[in-house]
Amino acid sequence: MPVPDSSPSDGGPTGAVRPSRLDPAVAARLRRTPDGLVAAVVRQHDTGEVLMVAWMDDEALHRTLTTGRATYWSRSRQEYWVKGATSGHHQYVRSVALDCDGDAVLVGVDQVGAACHTGERTCFFTELPVTTEGALS
């Protein structure tokens, strides 16, 4: 059941909200960016491996919670996308948790194939050097 992808408007401190069927009690707990989004940190549900970070608005969260398929809002394309719809690298949702501030969700998934658009298992494959000189032990 598609929901019109209307342009977000500045909704003040709670952020812009596109039309959504998200439970109002859940929506009330969200603290959105000015463009109506919350960060979605995605991890493999059984290992805890962090796979990717994406963005959700209220309707993407609703679709994720009710379909069992990870659905996100594309900031560049200004449209919803279901992970794996074109790549075949699906995410089957096992859990969703809201963080203490309401500005991020943690999505536990069964990842099929690569999570990253580059073809890597995770988007976090570039290690950076960490220097600990002068750090407390």
Side-chain angles (χ1 to χ4, degrees):
M1 179 181 324
V3 170
D5 295 343
S6 61
S7 297
S9 61
D10 186 1
T14 59
V17 180
R18 286 177 263 308
S20 175
R21 297 163 288 167
L22 183 63
D23 179 334
V26 174
R29 297 187 62 188
L30 297 178
R31 200 168 83 193
R32 303 163 192 84
T33 63
D35 52 354
L37 304 173
V38 295
V41 177
V42 185
R43 69 178 179 173
Q44 177 63 37
H45 83 98
D46 53 352
T47 65
E49 176 186 27
V50 177
L51 301 170
M52 58 181 271
V53 174
W55 295 95
M56 290 183 173
D57 68 355
D58 289 26
E59 182 60 18
L61 180 55
H62 167 76
R63 293 179 189 189
T64 297
L65 292 170
T66 59
T67 67
R69 297 291 305 282
T71 305
Y72 306 104
W73 177 255
S74 170
R75 295 177 299 168
S76 60
R77 295 186 312 271
Q78 294 288 293
E79 65 184 14
Y80 296 105
W81 58 282
V82 176
K83 183 67 174 171
T86 57
S87 68
H89 299 165
H90 301 284
Q91 291 177 343
Y92 297 101
V93 178
R94 299 292 178 238
S95 65
V96 179
L98 184 62
D99 84 331
C100 60
D101 295 323
D103 59 0
V105 294
L106 181 62
V107 184
V109 301
D110 269 331
Q111 176 69 50
V112 176
C116 186
H117 72 280
T118 66
E120 295 287 335
R121 165 79 181 162
T122 173
C123 292
F124 297 95
F125 57 86
T126 304
E127 292 285 332
L128 300 177
V130 176
T131 57
T132 58
E133 291 178 28
L136 297 175
S137 358

